[in-house]
Short mmCIF file of all heavy atoms in Angstrom, two decimals:
data_model
loop_
_atom_site.label_atom_id
_atom_site.label_comp_id
_atom_site.label_asym_id
_atom_site.label_seq_id
_atom_site.Cartn_x
_atom_site.Cartn_y
_atom_site.Cartn_z
N ARG A 1 -112.51 66.75 99.69
CA ARG A 1 -113.97 66.59 99.67
C ARG A 1 -114.37 65.12 99.55
O ARG A 1 -115.33 64.68 100.20
CB ARG A 1 -114.58 67.38 98.51
CG ARG A 1 -114.62 68.87 98.78
CD ARG A 1 -115.47 69.63 97.76
NE ARG A 1 -114.93 69.53 96.40
CZ ARG A 1 -115.58 68.98 95.36
NH1 ARG A 1 -116.78 68.50 95.49
NH2 ARG A 1 -115.00 68.95 94.17
N TRP A 2 -113.65 64.35 98.73
CA TRP A 2 -113.94 62.91 98.59
C TRP A 2 -113.75 62.20 99.92
O TRP A 2 -114.58 61.37 100.32
CB TRP A 2 -113.06 62.28 97.50
CG TRP A 2 -113.33 60.82 97.31
CD1 TRP A 2 -112.63 59.78 97.84
CD2 TRP A 2 -114.39 60.24 96.55
NE1 TRP A 2 -113.19 58.58 97.45
CE2 TRP A 2 -114.27 58.85 96.64
CE3 TRP A 2 -115.42 60.78 95.78
CZ2 TRP A 2 -115.15 57.97 96.01
CZ3 TRP A 2 -116.29 59.90 95.14
CH2 TRP A 2 -116.15 58.52 95.27
N ASN A 3 -112.67 62.52 100.61
CA ASN A 3 -112.41 61.89 101.91
C ASN A 3 -113.51 62.22 102.91
O ASN A 3 -113.92 61.35 103.69
CB ASN A 3 -111.04 62.31 102.44
CG ASN A 3 -109.91 61.68 101.67
OD1 ASN A 3 -110.09 60.66 100.99
ND2 ASN A 3 -108.74 62.27 101.74
N GLU A 4 -114.00 63.44 102.90
CA GLU A 4 -115.12 63.81 103.77
C GLU A 4 -116.38 63.04 103.38
O GLU A 4 -117.13 62.59 104.25
CB GLU A 4 -115.37 65.31 103.71
CG GLU A 4 -114.34 66.13 104.44
CD GLU A 4 -114.24 65.78 105.93
OE1 GLU A 4 -115.29 65.61 106.59
OE2 GLU A 4 -113.10 65.66 106.41
N TYR A 5 -116.61 62.90 102.09
CA TYR A 5 -117.76 62.16 101.56
C TYR A 5 -117.72 60.69 102.00
O TYR A 5 -118.76 60.10 102.29
CB TYR A 5 -117.74 62.28 100.04
CG TYR A 5 -118.78 61.51 99.27
CD1 TYR A 5 -120.14 61.67 99.50
CD2 TYR A 5 -118.39 60.63 98.25
CE1 TYR A 5 -121.09 60.97 98.75
CE2 TYR A 5 -119.32 59.93 97.51
CZ TYR A 5 -120.67 60.11 97.76
OH TYR A 5 -121.59 59.43 97.02
N MET A 6 -116.55 60.13 102.09
CA MET A 6 -116.39 58.72 102.45
C MET A 6 -116.23 58.48 103.95
O MET A 6 -116.32 57.34 104.41
CB MET A 6 -115.16 58.14 101.72
CG MET A 6 -115.24 58.21 100.20
SD MET A 6 -116.65 57.31 99.52
CE MET A 6 -116.08 55.64 99.74
N ALA A 7 -116.06 59.53 104.72
CA ALA A 7 -115.73 59.40 106.15
C ALA A 7 -116.79 58.65 106.95
O ALA A 7 -116.45 57.98 107.93
CB ALA A 7 -115.50 60.78 106.76
N ASP A 8 -118.06 58.72 106.55
CA ASP A 8 -119.10 58.06 107.33
C ASP A 8 -119.14 56.55 107.12
O ASP A 8 -119.83 55.85 107.87
CB ASP A 8 -120.47 58.68 107.02
CG ASP A 8 -120.92 58.47 105.58
OD1 ASP A 8 -120.07 58.55 104.67
OD2 ASP A 8 -122.12 58.25 105.36
N ILE A 9 -118.42 56.03 106.13
CA ILE A 9 -118.46 54.58 105.88
C ILE A 9 -117.10 53.92 105.99
O ILE A 9 -117.00 52.70 105.91
CB ILE A 9 -119.11 54.26 104.52
CG1 ILE A 9 -118.33 54.84 103.36
CG2 ILE A 9 -120.57 54.70 104.50
CD1 ILE A 9 -118.82 54.40 101.99
N LEU A 10 -116.04 54.70 106.18
CA LEU A 10 -114.70 54.14 106.30
C LEU A 10 -114.17 54.30 107.71
O LEU A 10 -114.53 55.23 108.42
CB LEU A 10 -113.73 54.83 105.33
CG LEU A 10 -113.89 54.49 103.87
CD1 LEU A 10 -112.93 55.31 103.03
CD2 LEU A 10 -113.67 53.01 103.62
N ILE A 11 -113.30 53.40 108.09
CA ILE A 11 -112.59 53.49 109.36
C ILE A 11 -111.20 54.00 109.04
O ILE A 11 -110.41 53.33 108.37
CB ILE A 11 -112.54 52.12 110.07
CG1 ILE A 11 -113.97 51.65 110.35
CG2 ILE A 11 -111.70 52.21 111.34
CD1 ILE A 11 -114.07 50.22 110.82
N TRP A 12 -110.93 55.23 109.47
CA TRP A 12 -109.66 55.88 109.19
C TRP A 12 -108.77 55.84 110.42
O TRP A 12 -109.24 55.90 111.54
CB TRP A 12 -109.88 57.35 108.86
CG TRP A 12 -110.66 57.64 107.63
CD1 TRP A 12 -111.98 57.98 107.57
CD2 TRP A 12 -110.20 57.64 106.29
NE1 TRP A 12 -112.35 58.19 106.27
CE2 TRP A 12 -111.28 57.99 105.47
CE3 TRP A 12 -108.95 57.40 105.71
CZ2 TRP A 12 -111.15 58.10 104.08
CZ3 TRP A 12 -108.84 57.50 104.34
CH2 TRP A 12 -109.93 57.84 103.55
N ASP A 13 -107.47 55.82 110.18
CA ASP A 13 -106.53 56.06 111.26
C ASP A 13 -106.65 57.54 111.63
O ASP A 13 -107.22 58.32 110.88
CB ASP A 13 -105.10 55.75 110.81
CG ASP A 13 -104.88 54.26 110.61
OD1 ASP A 13 -105.59 53.46 111.22
OD2 ASP A 13 -103.99 53.91 109.81
N ALA A 14 -106.09 57.91 112.74
CA ALA A 14 -106.22 59.28 113.22
C ALA A 14 -105.75 60.31 112.19
O ALA A 14 -106.35 61.36 112.05
CB ALA A 14 -105.42 59.45 114.51
N ASP A 15 -104.71 59.98 111.42
CA ASP A 15 -104.19 60.94 110.45
C ASP A 15 -104.73 60.70 109.05
O ASP A 15 -104.31 61.35 108.10
CB ASP A 15 -102.66 60.92 110.44
CG ASP A 15 -102.10 59.57 109.99
OD1 ASP A 15 -102.88 58.64 109.71
OD2 ASP A 15 -100.87 59.46 109.91
N ARG A 16 -105.67 59.76 108.90
CA ARG A 16 -106.28 59.44 107.61
C ARG A 16 -105.28 58.95 106.57
O ARG A 16 -105.54 58.97 105.39
CB ARG A 16 -107.05 60.61 107.03
CG ARG A 16 -108.29 60.92 107.78
CD ARG A 16 -109.09 61.93 107.01
NE ARG A 16 -110.44 61.92 107.54
CZ ARG A 16 -111.43 62.52 106.98
NH1 ARG A 16 -111.28 63.17 105.87
NH2 ARG A 16 -112.63 62.47 107.51
N ALA A 17 -104.13 58.53 106.99
CA ALA A 17 -103.13 58.04 106.04
C ALA A 17 -103.46 56.60 105.63
O ALA A 17 -103.93 55.82 106.44
CB ALA A 17 -101.74 58.07 106.68
N GLN A 18 -103.24 56.33 104.38
CA GLN A 18 -103.35 54.96 103.90
C GLN A 18 -101.96 54.36 103.98
O GLN A 18 -101.06 54.78 103.25
CB GLN A 18 -103.85 54.91 102.46
CG GLN A 18 -105.25 55.41 102.28
CD GLN A 18 -105.64 55.44 100.82
OE1 GLN A 18 -104.83 55.58 99.94
NE2 GLN A 18 -106.92 55.33 100.57
N PRO A 19 -101.75 53.42 104.89
CA PRO A 19 -100.40 52.87 105.03
C PRO A 19 -99.96 52.17 103.75
O PRO A 19 -100.71 51.38 103.18
CB PRO A 19 -100.52 51.90 106.20
CG PRO A 19 -101.97 51.57 106.28
CD PRO A 19 -102.71 52.76 105.75
N ARG A 20 -98.79 52.51 103.30
CA ARG A 20 -98.25 51.89 102.09
C ARG A 20 -97.73 50.51 102.44
O ARG A 20 -96.96 50.34 103.39
CB ARG A 20 -97.12 52.76 101.54
CG ARG A 20 -96.57 52.23 100.25
CD ARG A 20 -95.53 53.17 99.70
NE ARG A 20 -95.06 52.69 98.43
CZ ARG A 20 -94.17 53.32 97.70
NH1 ARG A 20 -93.66 54.46 98.12
NH2 ARG A 20 -93.77 52.83 96.55
N LEU A 21 -98.14 49.53 101.67
CA LEU A 21 -97.71 48.16 101.90
C LEU A 21 -96.37 47.91 101.23
O LEU A 21 -96.07 48.46 100.17
CB LEU A 21 -98.75 47.18 101.37
CG LEU A 21 -100.16 47.32 101.99
CD1 LEU A 21 -101.10 46.31 101.36
CD2 LEU A 21 -100.12 47.16 103.48
N GLN A 22 -95.58 47.06 101.85
CA GLN A 22 -94.28 46.71 101.33
C GLN A 22 -94.40 45.57 100.33
O GLN A 22 -95.04 44.56 100.62
CB GLN A 22 -93.35 46.28 102.48
CG GLN A 22 -91.98 45.87 102.05
CD GLN A 22 -91.14 45.39 103.22
OE1 GLN A 22 -91.65 45.16 104.32
NE2 GLN A 22 -89.87 45.21 103.00
N GLU A 23 -93.83 45.75 99.17
CA GLU A 23 -93.84 44.68 98.15
C GLU A 23 -92.88 43.58 98.57
O GLU A 23 -91.73 43.86 98.91
CB GLU A 23 -93.42 45.25 96.80
CG GLU A 23 -93.53 44.25 95.68
CD GLU A 23 -93.20 44.86 94.33
OE1 GLU A 23 -93.88 45.83 93.93
OE2 GLU A 23 -92.27 44.36 93.67
N VAL A 24 -93.36 42.33 98.56
CA VAL A 24 -92.51 41.20 98.93
C VAL A 24 -92.37 40.17 97.82
O VAL A 24 -91.52 39.29 97.89
CB VAL A 24 -93.00 40.52 100.23
CG1 VAL A 24 -92.89 41.47 101.41
CG2 VAL A 24 -94.42 40.00 100.08
#
């Protein structure tokens, strides 16, 4: 529900995944 609530203001990838960043 939160993701649907935010969908109108966020740019999502097709699968809505948040890419995990690699720690360097």
Side-chain angles (χ1 to χ4, degrees):
R1 285 192 297 118
W2 181 263
N3 288 340
E4 286 301 317
Y5 176 57
M6 300 300 286
D8 64 322
I9 62 172
L10 287 177
I11 299 170
W12 296 100
D13 291 335
D15 63 359
R16 290 189 164 191
Q18 294 176 333
R20 184 176 183 179
L21 301 179
Q22 179 183 12
E23 185 176 301
V24 296

